[in-house]
Amino acid sequence: MSTTIRRDSAAGKALILAALLTVAVPGAAYAKTADVTVVTPGATMGPATPFTGVSSHADCPDGLVSGGGADQTIGNDEMSNGNHVMGMVPSADGATAYTDAPGIVGTDATHWMTFGGSGSRSSDAFSTTPYAICLNSNLIRHTQVVMNKAQGPSVGLSSKLVTATCPAGTVLIGGGARTTPAGVGSLKPIAGFPTFDDAEHHYGSIAAGDGERDPDSWTAVGGIGGGRGADNMTYAYAICSTDDIGLEHVSTTVRFTEVDGPNTASTGQTATAGCSREDGQLVSGGAAISGGNVTTTDFGKATSGGPHLNGSFPSDAAGTPVGDGATNPSYWTAATHSGGSPSQGSYSDVWALCLDVRHGHKH
C-alpha cells in the first residue's frame, strides 16, 4: 500500500487545520493593533485681555481619545510672559470638562479640550491649539475617564498635587490636568505626568521614570505665584482601558527626559521624549516645569512664581508639533517658560507613554 500523500490532499488538510486553530484560538488568527491619528483644528485666538481664559477643542471622528495636548502662541515681546496653559483634558462633548464628583466620570471620550490663560499681561498674539490623540485598537475598544480634584493651591508661591488612579485590571493610556479659575492670573497647571499608586512613588508624588512599565495613575500639579484664591482647584484625569482587555495582551512603557532651564526671565525651553519601535506606539504624553529630580523625589515646583507651561504636544524628534491628520507619531514635546522673573533651578520635564499590544503586562 502506498504511503505517498498527494499535494492537493495535504494542502486541503492544512487549510482545515488552520480553520480549526482559528476557531480554537481566537487571538491567534489576527494581530492585536494600536494606531493613532492626531487631530488639531488649528489655533483659537486669545485670551487678549488680562486675567481671562480661552478654550478650544479637538474631536476624534474615528477612535477614542487616549490623550492630547496644547500649544500656546505667545508672541515675542514682554507680553509673552502672561500666556500659559490652564488645562488639557478629555471631554464628553468638546464644550465642557469633567469637574463634578471625583471617580469614573465618563466613558469612551472622543473629545479633547484645552484652556489658555493670561496673567497681568496679554496680547492679541495669544492663542491656544489643541491636539487630540485618537486611538484605534482592536484590543482597547472602550475607555473610561477617572477624575480626582483638590482645593488649592491658595497660598502664594505654593503648589497642589492631586492624583487620579485607574481601576484595578485596567491600563492607563493617558491623562490630563487643569486648574480653575482663570481669573487668578498666576494660577496654572505646572505638571501632568504618569505615575504609580504605590509606596515607591509616594502614591503619585514621584513621577514615573524613563523605562518604567505599566503606570496606573496620572498626577496633576497646580502652581501659583503671588496670587491668592480660596476657590482655586486642581484637577487630575486618568484615561484608562476597561477591564475586559486581558492584561496579558498589553503593556506600556514610559520614556522621560529632563533638561535644565529656563532660568532667565522671559525665556522658554523645550524637552522631547520618544517611543522606540520596541516600546510600542505613542498614545499620550505629559509635561512639567519643576525644581528637578521629579522621578526620584517628590515633585517640587520651581522657586519662582512665574514658571509655566506653554505646550505639551505630539511632535517630531526636533520638537516641532505634528500637523492635523498625522499618523502614529513617536515623540512628545514639553514647552516651558520662565515668566517675567529669573527662575534659577528650573527644569523642563517631558514624558511619552508608549502602548505595546504585542506583548503582555510586565509590571
Side-chain angles (χ1 to χ4, degrees):
M1 180 176 68
S2 172
T3 59
T4 302
I5 300 175
R6 291 171 55 192
R7 286 187 179 181
D8 56 351
S9 175
K13 291 179 179 179
L15 288 172
I16 293 171
L17 179 59
L20 290 172
L21 285 174
T22 299
V23 173
V25 189
Y30 58 90
K32 303 296 188 295
T33 62
D35 296 288
V36 306
T37 302
V38 178
V39 174
T40 175
T44 295
M45 302 308 295
T49 56
F51 305 116
T52 59
V54 64
S55 66
S56 186
H57 61 95
D59 314 301
C60 294
D62 186 30
L64 302 169
V65 163
S66 61
D71 187 23
Q72 308 289 119
T73 300
I74 62 176
N76 56 11
D77 58 20
E78 65 177 9
M79 296 303 178
S80 66
N81 297 323
N83 194 13
H84 51 263
V85 171
M86 284 292 292
M88 301 173 287
V89 301
S91 169
D93 55 11
T96 57
Y98 302 108
T99 58
D100 293 331
I104 299 173
V105 293
T107 57
D108 293 346
T110 60
H111 305 272
W112 186 261
M113 291 191 72
T114 62
F115 300 84
S118 61
S120 60
R121 297 178 181 272
S122 61
S123 167
D124 291 338
F126 289 176
S127 72
T128 182
T129 300
Y131 295 84
I133 309 300
C134 305
L135 173 67
N136 279 279
S137 173
N138 61 8
L139 177 65
I140 300 176
R141 300 174 184 270
H142 299 283
T143 59
Q144 51 192 324
V145 177
V146 179
M147 183 270 286
N148 198 9
K149 63 182 180 180
Q151 191 168 8
S154 301
V155 178
L157 301 178
S158 67
S159 61
K160 174 62 70 172
L161 184 146
V162 59
T163 301
T165 298
C166 290
T170 70
V171 173
L172 175 80
I173 58 172
R178 188 185 180 196
T179 57
T180 60
V184 180
S186 67
L187 174 67
K188 61 271 182 181
I190 56 175
F193 52 79
T195 184
F196 298 81
D197 182 33
D198 63 17
E200 181 181 353
H201 295 81
H202 292 187
Y203 302 99
S205 294
I206 298 174
D210 187 59
E212 288 201 89
R213 298 187 185 275
D214 303 317
D216 60 8
S217 304
W218 198 272
T219 287
V221 183
I224 197 168
R228 303 289 190 275
D231 296 326
N232 295 351
M233 297 292 297
T234 299
Y235 300 84
Y237 301 83
I239 303 174
C240 317
S241 73
T242 47
D243 63 3
D244 56 353
I245 63 172
L247 296 183
E248 69 274 14
H249 297 303
V250 61
S251 181
T252 57
T253 299
V254 174
R255 291 301 170 194
F256 169 75
T257 298
E258 182 174 80
V259 300
D260 182 50
N263 294 312
T264 58
S266 305
T267 59
Q269 178 64 285
T270 61
T272 299
C275 300
S276 69
R277 179 174 298 182
E278 291 73 24
D279 293 332
Q281 176 57 50
L282 174 83
V283 288
S284 61
I289 185 163
S290 72
N293 300 314
V294 295
T295 64
T296 56
T297 61
D298 287 3
F299 184 92
K301 72 182 295 294
T303 55
S304 171
H308 55 266
L309 295 175
N310 280 142
S312 176
F313 47 79
S315 72
D316 62 17
T320 303
V322 301
D324 183 47
T327 57
N328 296 331
S330 297
Y331 296 90
W332 199 271
T333 291
T336 64
H337 199 274
S338 61
S341 302
S343 183
Q344 296 298 319
S346 291
Y347 291 83
S348 298
D349 307 284
V350 65
W351 293 260
L353 187 60
C354 319
L355 175 68
D356 182 3
V357 295
R358 301 165 299 175
H359 306 108
H361 211 60
K362 301 170 185 175
H363 177 62

